[in-house]
Amino acid sequence: MSIVDKPEVFDQLVERLSKLSSVEYIVVAHEGLPYKIAKIDLSRADVIIALVSDVLSKTIKYKGISSSIDWVSLGLSTGKALYIRMFNSFTLILECDREIIGQIHDIVNRFIKDKLFKCSKCGLELDSIEIKCPYCSKNIVASSIRCPYCGGCIGIRRCPKCRSRIRYNGELVRVRTKALIPGIALSTALGLALWLINPVVGYTALLAGLYFTAIISYPTST
Ligand SMILES: [Zn+2]
Ligand SMILES: [Zn+2]
């Protein structure tokens, strides 16, 4: 029996997943009955469970009983998809945007291992909170490496709570102060030396040096 077969642990997982705006509804089934539901009414949850158990019985027949599949995703004609995850005593079913199925799977896996991505400064859980994609403005999980909708690379982002500059997994991005002082000193010295020969060249060299130092000291990509 894994940790997620405890009802109280499942409650925590449902609570987190239901915070994501692209998750339409969540149904947790226990022995063919709704055990826990979110963003959905009970009668509809019953219908979903009946549908899913029908699909699962066919899937298992098709794949063969011996296969160790523990999750299935089903694309729906609406452009959404169902994520179905089987645990020993519970089945998690949720409907979400098709694009984020892989992310949902990763989040559930991290939850099971108690390794959800958190801001390493303030501890905010990045897997259950959203940020806006800087390219397409869609709401995406704060732990996204790439935007699942437009494919834009999300490099360093600000923690929505403490505004620290962090990577997708919550790791803090530190300013490389070691490069800052020598960089400024070197740029100034070079700029001054060249200034004596030609002020325009000196000024350009100073600016280029400072720009280069800034790039090295403030990393902007993952
Ligand atoms: Zn933070
Ligand atoms: Zn995007």
Side-chain angles (χ1 to χ4, degrees):
M1 184 164 145
S2 80
I3 183 102
V4 266
D5 282 300
K6 288 183 185 161
E8 64 273 21
V9 179
F10 236 112
D11 288 355
Q12 293 168 16
L13 177 61
V14 170
E15 188 206 312
R16 280 163 175 85
L17 293 171
S18 61
K19 283 183 192 163
L20 304 177
S21 61
S22 47
V23 171
E24 294 286 309
Y25 61 77
I26 302 169
V27 175
V28 179
H30 178 57
E31 292 174 356
L33 292 168
Y35 161 72
K36 181 114 192 147
I37 56 172
K39 301 183 178 181
I40 193 173
D41 59 69
L42 197 58
S43 59
R44 201 156 158 244
D46 279 327
V47 175
I48 304 281
I49 290 173
L51 263 171
V52 166
S53 60
D54 185 45
V55 168
L56 283 187
S57 65
K58 282 174 186 152
T59 309
I60 288 166
K61 266 184 209 148
Y62 178 70
K63 298 249 181 189
I65 290 290
S66 61
S67 69
S68 57
I69 47 160
D70 67 347
W71 73 287
V72 181
S73 78
L74 290 174
L76 305 175
S77 57
T78 52
K80 305 269 176 185
L82 287 184
Y83 174 77
I84 306 160
R85 181 78 182 253
M86 285 84 82
F87 297 99
N88 285 341
S89 30
F90 296 101
T91 302
L92 171 75
I93 306 158
L94 62 84
E95 188 183 322
C96 63
D97 288 345
R98 199 176 285 188
E99 293 87 346
I100 69 159
I101 282 282
Q103 265 190 318
I104 294 287
H105 185 59
D106 291 344
I107 292 171
V108 172
N109 283 342
R110 285 199 285 274
F111 178 84
I112 293 167
K113 292 179 193 149
D114 194 21
K115 281 189 176 152
L116 286 176
F117 288 155
K118 290 173 187 163
C119 168
S120 46
K121 183 87 178 274
C122 72
L124 181 76
E125 265 179 23
L126 304 171
D127 281 329
S128 53
I129 206 153
E130 288 173 327
I131 52 170
K132 272 213 185 317
C133 168
Y135 308 103
C136 69
S137 299
K138 276 223 173 221
N139 285 334
I140 56 171
V141 185
S143 59
S144 305
I145 301 175
R146 282 181 170 276
C147 170
Y149 298 101
C150 71
C153 186
I154 317 292
I156 288 156
R157 72 279 338 255
R158 293 242 175 224
C159 167
K161 192 174 165 196
C162 72
R163 308 301 299 160
S164 298
R165 297 166 81 239
I166 50 172
R167 298 182 201 279
Y168 70 95
N169 58 0
E171 188 190 311
L172 269 183
V173 178
R174 299 195 184 278
V175 176
R176 297 186 193 125
T177 45
K178 272 185 186 158
L180 205 59
I181 310 271
I184 293 172
L186 209 66
S187 310
T188 314
L190 187 69
L192 271 176
L194 290 172
W195 185 289
L196 298 174
I197 302 163
N198 183 329
V200 178
V201 175
Y203 188 62
T204 312
L206 174 67
L207 285 184
L210 291 179
Y211 180 68
F212 189 65
T213 308
I215 287 179
I216 290 179
S217 307
Y218 294 88
T220 51
S221 68
T222 51

